[in-house]
Amino acid sequence: MNKGLSYKKVRKHKTLVESIVEDLQGKIIKGQLEPGQKMVEAELCEKMGISRSPLREAFRVLESQGFLAHEPRKGMQVSRVSLEELENIYVIRANLESLATNLAVKNEDPQILEELRRLHHEMIRVAQEDDTGAYHKLNLKFHEVLAEASLNQRLIELIDTFVKQTNRYRVVVFSTPGKLQASIQNHKDIIRSFEKGDAEEAERMRRAAILNNIEVLREHFTREEPANL
Amino acid sequence: MNKGLSYKKVRKHKTLVESIVEDLQGKIIKGQLEPGQKMVEAELCEKMGISRSPLREAFRVLESQGFLAHEPRKGMQVSRVSLEELENIYVIRANLESLATNLAVKNEDPQILEELRRLHHEMIRVAQEDDTGAYHKLNLKFHEVLAEASLNQRLIELIDTFVKQTNRYRVVVFSTPGKLQASIQNHKDIIRSFEKGDAEEAERMRRAAILNNIEVLREHFTREEPANL
DNA sequence: CGATTGTCGATTGTATACAATAATGGGCAT
DNA sequence: ATGCCCATTATTGTATACAATCGACAATCG
């Protein structure tokens, strides 16, 4: 079967470039494309059944988002993130998300609060069943709702990009024992701050949780070999 | 004279795409390309003496940065920023820059402090001469130094983009009377916090200054017509 | 007279072709 | 055997060509 053709079929209203961006982004996040891997245009074109123009445009988008990196005449490669850079990214993400949390609380939308509570209880349930996969999905949703409640479109998009970037190394963070319970407690705290209308407190809670991930990462990567981060 | 050819000559080590990005970005910031203006590919290609491929790649970069926006099949246009969006951007910028300031102070680099002092005194000088143009340049430099002192590369780039975006409407902010003196006072405060090593205070100072710009903008655009923001 | 549809032109989306440069490998000299 | 140089080749950078879609205007029908 020609795998390439499916691309053209799938796109209903999406343009080819968008499809390619999503596809490659997904593969990078999932680790199917490893950091440092060379992205040879002709090769990818053939595999995907597309031509170089849309691929190169997709490359530019992904580069802007930090998923790819290139030097002129040397070609694109999947961005290679050092531990230090990853820490840098986490610091930014912590700030952006805590800002969003602050704004979300200030907006005082009862429907948002309701949604957060629902997700929170759902997470408690799947945590008891030790379903980390389901938990991760709900967790993402929880923070997505929080971000969107900021009603700041630019911020929402920015956070989305940064979350995706850190998720490339999520596996590491989430496999840590106790992390799940800490996460649940954190959500509880945020919801409580939300109920109190204490935006600053919610902001601090959110920031602390994200920054804590850095510790986990640092610990992990000083023990084990830096591998091919 | 063929204006187009200069493009190819100028690039020494820069690729065409980079040159185009810089050029268009500059024109958008300076207002030479107005918000909402259609960017017809063929037209620009002829004017610039380039072909569509690099132009379209530059488009993608600029779109990622928020300077352009496009709908499929409808074409690119210079992004049209509502007052609300501009406020959103300022809120993000305030957060990013205050974060950078915090990190900068924590790094405690005496050379940075020295550089900030130098720029500060320079600004006081040109302010006395009412040279707002020179002041603006020094001001940009001041905050650039502050951002770079964070030593967080990703953050530095992000701030750069956001600063450029808000600078599209800088004219408005800076023509306000009293703004210059307030700006000088703010720098003084930040330097003092730096000397004390009080990162949190410096962070608050920086944030307050940027957020204040929003007020100025809002005032300006509720009096005057929203124009073609 | 208004609405609808068809056709044409303009413009974007995609593919291919050409040019320039960097990586590779083999031959030759030391 | 090893290191340097040159040629070859692979790959990116740029330009052009082709296809698909959208918008506007006009012709036709109710």
Side-chain angles (χ1 to χ4, degrees), chain B residues 81-88 214 217-218 221-222 229:
Chain B
V81 182
S82 67
L83 177 56
E84 187 190 4
E85 281 176 281
L86 191 54
E87 288 184 22
N88 284 344
I214 299 180
L217 272 169
R218 192 180 295 147
F221 284 109
T222 43
L229 243 187

Side-chain angles (χ1 to χ4, degrees), chain A residues 163-179:
Chain A
V163 167
K164 279 177 180 156
Q165 289 207 38
T166 52
N167 274 352
R168 286 176 67 184
Y169 307 99
R170 163 187 63 89
V171 204
V172 177
V173 176
F174 249 95
S175 57
T176 307
K179 194 77 186 60

